[in-house]
Amino acid sequence: MKITISVAQMDVSFGKPAENFARIESFVAQAATEQADIVVFPEMWNTGYDLSRFNDIADVNGLQTLHVFKALAQKYHIMIHTGSVATKRGNQFFNTTYIIDENGELLSTYDKVHLFGLMHEDEFLTPGSKKDQFEVKGVPATSVICYDIRFPEWLRTLSLNDSRIIFVPAEWPTPRMPQWRTLLAARAIENQSFVVGVNRVGADPENRFGGNSVVIDPLGNNVLYLGHEEELKTVTIDINATDKVRGFMPVFADRRPDLYE
Ligand SMILES: O=C(O)CCC(=O)C(=O)O
């Protein structure tokens, strides 16, 4: 099974959802032109980390995100991983991913589980408590958000359900780019899965963000690697590579969960 993935490495206007929403369609249109099955956006691109203004700018119940992306998915007949957006539900705020299929149907919703204290998420956001599991062209997949990749036990838990692709939208700051690459490669190797990491570029008042979005194969090799500019790139992966690796070295079968608690 082959899956073509477009990575939308976008810049984000700080605290300006209208400006950010206005730029989304061109990425989806380019991905469709490049015959992608799915296009993937970075983390919290609707607002950036303008956390103290979330009461005014977070997407209430994700309605705008869902409305815009469902329409784009139908118009371009393409599956969309929305990256993540700041959402408001009741009086709480979340960092939320939506997965929408090529017919505009919502497949899954995920709220970031591990909140990132260094960028004050823990002061403003409520953490999620559910897994994200869905299929891309019939292939089991999962998704986390940015800081979540520092918790291998969480990605392992998500991968135990036969997942073959792990999606990782991010706003990963420039000083820690070597860690971004190493952690993503490790998660790919240990879970014998493809990893799709999509980071933003540009800057906000406190941080610069390093891009270097990447698609990594189950052996830890980069099959797509972006620089530091805003751009969309596309790659086709062959999911059979996960069967080959898992057949050659049966890590999942060799686990000793009886020792892990
Ligand atoms: O873990 C890191 O170094 C970066 C995490 C991050 O930027 C985030 O979760 O938004």
Side-chain angles (χ1 to χ4, degrees):
M1 165 63 69
K2 296 199 172 168
I3 298 178
T4 301
I5 299 172
S6 284
V7 167
Q9 178 169 285
M10 66 183 281
D11 197 351
V12 175
S13 297
F14 186 66
K16 295 189 175 145
E19 283 186 18
N20 293 316
F21 271 103
R23 293 165 51 240
I24 287 300
E25 180 164 2
S26 65
F27 289 106
V28 178
Q30 187 185 340
T33 304
E34 297 183 14
Q35 314 227 303
D37 297 301
I38 182 167
V39 55
V40 190
F41 287 86
E43 180 184 15
M44 215 130 86
W45 56 264
N46 62 334
T47 57
Y49 273 79
D50 196 359
L51 296 161
S52 63
R53 291 184 55 241
F54 270 15
N55 204 33
D56 299 321
I57 59 176
D59 189 3
V60 178
N61 296 322
L63 288 178
Q64 183 179 13
T65 305
L66 289 168
H67 176 74
V68 167
F69 278 113
K70 284 181 173 191
L72 290 174
Q74 285 175 321
K75 178 172 173 185
Y76 293 98
H77 202 65
I78 187 169
M79 192 169 171
I80 299 177
H81 184 307
T82 63
S84 76
V85 287
T87 58
K88 181 179 183 196
R89 302 205 292 273
N91 58 6
Q92 294 181 310
F93 302 110
F94 299 86
N95 186 342
T96 307
T97 290
Y98 301 103
I99 308 294
I100 297 168
D101 77 10
E102 64 278 13
N103 300 312
E105 298 296 326
L106 177 64
L107 295 186
S108 76
T109 301
Y110 174 76
D111 296 318
K112 188 175 187 178
V113 163
H114 301 93
L115 298 182
F116 189 48
L118 275 186
M119 279 161 59
H120 312 294
E121 282 188 320
D122 55 333
E123 296 165 37
F124 293 91
L125 302 185
T126 302
S129 52
K130 287 201 198 125
K131 299 175 191 166
D132 199 5
Q133 318 243 232
F134 53 94
E135 291 185 355
V136 182
K137 288 177 83 179
V139 173
T142 188
S143 191
V144 295
I145 300 175
C146 204
Y147 184 53
D148 282 331
I149 63 168
R150 291 187 185 270
F151 300 86
E153 58 272 50
W154 180 231
L155 278 80
R156 171 69 95 203
T157 301
L158 294 166
S159 299
L160 289 176
N161 203 17
D162 200 32
S163 174
R164 304 301 173 113
I165 315 173
I166 302 168
F167 292 92
V168 187
E171 291 212 20
W172 197 281
T174 301
R176 293 188 296 282
M177 294 316 292
Q179 296 173 38
W180 160 256
R181 289 187 284 272
T182 303
L183 289 166
L184 290 175
R187 300 296 86 86
I189 293 165
E190 70 202 5
N191 292 302
Q192 300 182 315
S193 288
F194 285 93
V195 166
V196 180
V198 184
N199 193 23
R200 64 163 288 190
V201 293
D204 71 11
E206 289 188 13
N207 290 292
R208 293 198 64 79
F209 299 95
N212 283 166
S213 299
V214 66
V215 178
I216 302 174
D217 75 13
L219 292 173
N221 304 305
N222 295 345
V223 293
L224 184 74
Y225 193 62
L226 281 67
H228 306 292
E229 304 301 322
E230 180 171 87
E231 62 178 334
L232 177 139
K233 280 197 172 175
T234 301
V235 68
T236 299
I237 60 172
D238 186 349
I239 296 297
N240 293 336
T242 60
D243 289 325
K244 275 195 201 144
V245 174
R246 292 177 188 202
F248 173 69
M249 191 184 289
V251 163
F252 284 92
D254 290 343
R255 293 177 69 245
R256 291 288 312 278
D258 52 315
L259 299 178
Y260 300 160
E261 285 301 310

